Amino acid sequence: MTVSFGDETAAEAAASAVGTLVREGVPAALAAGDASLWGPEAADEAARRLGWLRLPETSRELLPEITRLVERARAEGLDHVVLAGMGGSSLAPEVICDTADAPLTVLDTTDPGQVRRALEDRLDRTIVVVASKSGGTVETDSHRRIYDKAFRDAGIDPAGRIVVVTDPGSPLEAVAREAGYPLVLADPDVGGRYSALSAFGLVPSALAGADVERLLDEAASVRGLLAEGEGNPGLELGAALGAAAAAGRDKLILEDGLSQINGLPDWIEQLVAESTGKSGTGILPVVDADPTGADDEIVASIDGEGAIEVSAPLGAQFLIWEYATAVAGRMLGINPFDQPNVAESKENTAALLAAGVPQEKPVLVDGPVEVYGELAGPAHDLSGVLTGLLKAIPDDGYLAILAFLDRWSAFDVPTPEDAALDELTEAWAAADPATLRPLLAARTDRPVTFGWGPRYLHSTGQFHKGGPQYGVFLQITGAIPDGADIEVPGKPYTLGALQLAQALGDFGALVKRGRPAVRVHLTDRVAGVTHLLAAARQV
């Protein structure tokens, strides 16, 4: 469990920052849960959010209960595990299960196609974990309602198929008790993005087949180091991140190509962006991108080579990055435990659902793509729109692509039965909206990020609105094919209506802050993605 440096400047800055932090008594104070470390304004929040430090020990109390859930599921042949959760309730289990090669279907979407794909997959063998810290997450509540009805329609008792993970006293706890769902209560002193080692990370992962006790053992092995001034990987990493950001290297390129851990950068992205992106400052994580050598970049590698190199097993990685983020928050002078700008998009969504989505006229139509918003420059076609967005990125800025679409639709593309793997990969990439990121990244020396909506709203969405004012935004929405939408039982809206309201709600929040933002709407999703990627190649 080490943090090392492949960059002399980063190493020197980190060493200097570690010395200052040690003199201030930060390592021992943080390890002991001192809520005053982030200033008086953050103290009340921090006092309720430091339980993650104890999780390697306290979460062991959950293991007998989790074991009983797993044994019952196995005895009943329930081998399709679906996790309905957003942000911290889904990202950690996804990493845990991908690393353990344990199959888990994650629903962190309101896209009807993606939800329908999960619903139609082995419903008779499905167990659903509904996970929400607040108990009021609209996406998760919708998933629960839809699955409850689907089970009933199939003659299956939902009480035997839906497991709830939530905080004590939440609305979801009351729902679970009334419905008779099995209920696992999480530690209320742990914030969502710090909850990897809590019930939110452990319950779905164990049901999917991951060894969660081993995960806790890995975290416990580093826990004792976190009070030390020397040999403390969390302190060294936090000092490096904070010092780099203070020196203007606030774009954190995350790499894990050589690691046996799968997908950890996606979890780090939420942790760091939502924790630090506020009050006009922050660290922007960039996933799946090659470094450009820009002065404001710093590369962090998981078990590989970079300016910062973090080597540890997964359970320890979780704890090290959480500790480091708390340290970096202190160095940046912000509260790493709140998310002050997240509520605005949620409020906008609720208002749009209540009043109805307004009818807008596109500023430009190019084939199966409509363009909305204020263009960053003159444009006569889609490639001109994309060119304008790239030119609008400030010298210290970035472009964020935000896609409210089906995350897995590319795998539906027809392919020959005897196609080789490289042919399949090429066909999938040609139909994948995420391919837009590398296409546009190749045409600028600024970072380009990609987020699936509404998933990113619980992750980088805080940074977009609360961080430095240097982001440029391209939002992608798509028409729902006839007959493909899904009603949300007990609610006056469909998933498709919710998805569009979420997109427009966040778009409005970005525009209100003066962020350059354009929305492209695919009137035909398949043809629209193809057209969009073709336009990017012409930039």
Side-chain angles (χ1 to χ4, degrees):
M1 296 173 292
T2 62
V3 172
S4 54
F5 299 93
D7 179 299
E8 186 175 342
T9 301
E12 291 175 353
S16 176
V18 165
T20 299
L21 292 163
V22 170
R23 286 192 296 274
E24 294 171 347
V26 171
L30 178 51
D34 184 346
S36 70
L37 287 170
W38 301 273
E41 293 184 1
D44 287 346
E45 179 88 26
R48 303 190 304 271
R49 292 290 178 263
L50 290 169
W52 52 272
L53 288 160
R54 304 185 300 269
L55 289 177
E57 293 78 35
T58 58
S59 283
R60 294 179 191 278
E61 300 170 5
L62 296 171
L63 294 179
E65 185 176 7
I66 291 173
T67 298
R68 288 192 291 271
L69 286 172
V70 171
E71 289 175 346
R72 180 181 70 80
R74 297 292 181 270
E76 296 178 10
L78 306 180
D79 57 359
H80 180 217
V81 183
V82 175
L83 171 59
M86 303 298 299
S89 298
S90 64
L91 289 165
E94 192 167 52
V95 176
I96 294 166
C97 291
D98 283 352
T99 300
D101 197 23
L104 176 70
T105 297
V106 175
L107 282 185
D108 53 2
T109 181
T110 46
D111 187 85
Q114 194 170 332
V115 173
R116 189 178 298 280
R117 182 180 288 103
L119 277 171
E120 294 175 351
D121 183 8
R122 298 166 288 165
L123 185 68
D124 60 324
R125 290 154 48 194
T126 293
I127 184 167
V128 181
V129 179
V130 176
S132 170
K133 178 178 175 61
S134 69
T137 309
V138 65
E139 299 95 335
T140 305
D141 178 65
S142 299
H143 299 150
R144 180 193 63 79
R145 291 170 180 270
I146 290 167
Y147 263 100
D148 189 290
K149 181 178 185 299
F151 285 133
R152 293 183 189 279
D153 289 348
I156 299 169
D157 183 3
R161 296 301 189 89
I162 295 176
V163 177
V164 165
V165 181
T166 191
D167 275 6
S170 79
L172 185 55
E173 180 191 0
V175 168
R177 294 194 185 282
E178 182 177 353
Y181 304 143
L183 173 66
V184 182
L185 294 176
D187 187 336
D189 291 333
V190 178
R193 57 187 176 273
Y194 292 81
S195 65
L197 299 171
S198 77
F200 290 105
L202 303 186
V203 171
S205 301
L207 283 167
D211 184 347
V212 296
E213 185 172 6
R214 177 181 174 182
L215 199 71
L216 295 177
D217 290 341
E218 292 169 351
S221 67
V222 78
R223 175 69 177 89
L225 299 176
L226 300 183
E228 303 298 325
E230 293 184 11
N232 180 339
L235 180 68
E236 293 166 354
L237 177 59
L241 297 178
R249 300 177 74 178
D250 60 352
K251 313 302 187 302
L252 178 64
I253 312 299
L254 294 165
E255 295 184 341
D256 69 341
L258 300 177
S259 176
Q260 297 300 309
I261 300 171
N262 295 324
L264 187 61
D266 286 326
W267 175 82
I268 296 171
E269 180 183 46
Q270 186 217 9
L271 174 70
V272 173
E274 196 168 55
S275 296
T276 69
K278 59 201 67 169
S279 302
T281 189
I283 299 168
L284 176 69
V286 185
V287 179
D288 292 331
D290 294 324
T292 66
D295 291 341
D296 59 349
E297 290 182 354
I298 188 163
V299 178
S301 175
I302 307 303
D303 295 332
E305 297 180 353
I308 307 170
E309 302 160 0
V310 187
S311 298
L314 180 56
Q317 289 274 3
F318 284 140
L319 199 56
I320 289 168
W321 280 95
E322 288 166 349
Y323 185 102
T325 301
V327 169
R330 174 183 167 86
M331 295 176 65
L332 292 172
I334 51 90
N335 176 2
F337 306 111
D338 68 352
Q339 47 281 331
N341 303 107
V342 168
E344 183 178 356
S345 294
K346 295 180 180 179
E347 292 165 358
N348 290 351
T349 296
L352 287 165
L353 286 173
V357 173
Q359 295 298 312
E360 298 179 81
K361 184 177 180 180
V363 297
L364 187 149
V365 177
D366 187 343
V369 180
E370 299 173 342
V371 181
Y372 297 85
E374 186 174 338
L375 300 184
H380 304 290
D381 58 15
L382 190 53
S383 7
V385 172
L386 298 178
T387 298
L389 284 171
L390 292 175
K391 289 182 176 179
I393 305 173
D395 291 343
D396 59 349
Y398 68 101
L399 171 67
I401 304 170
L402 312 169
F404 285 79
L405 300 170
D406 182 347
R407 186 179 169 193
W408 306 115
S409 63
F411 296 108
D412 294 335
V413 64
T415 54
E417 290 185 8
D418 58 349
L421 180 58
D422 58 343
E423 294 175 305
L424 291 173
T425 301
E426 184 177 347
W428 292 332
D432 190 351
T435 301
L436 186 60
R437 194 210 64 76
L439 287 176
L440 293 183
R443 289 155 175 82
T444 178
D445 59 359
R446 303 310 305 146
V448 180
T449 66
F450 186 95
W452 294 103
R455 165 181 167 131
Y456 79 84
L457 292 176
H458 302 259
S459 178
T460 53
Q462 167 61 43
F463 187 98
H464 295 160
K465 294 180 282 289
Q469 178 116 343
Y470 53 35
V472 175
F473 301 92
L474 173 61
Q475 190 184 82
I476 310 171
T477 56
I480 308 298
D482 290 342
D485 209 347
I486 299 176
E487 298 284 340
V488 180
K491 294 293 183 180
Y493 50 78
T494 64
L495 279 184
L498 174 57
Q499 183 184 42
L500 183 57
Q502 289 178 310
L504 296 181
D506 193 52
F507 192 82
L510 293 170
V511 170
K512 180 180 177 181
R513 283 168 170 75
R515 268 61 165 168
V518 168
R519 177 171 71 95
V520 296
H521 184 72
L522 314 181
T523 54
D524 179 303
R525 291 194 178 202
V526 175
V529 169
T530 300
H531 196 68
L532 186 58
L533 298 184
R537 293 186 180 95
Q538 295 170 9
V539 170

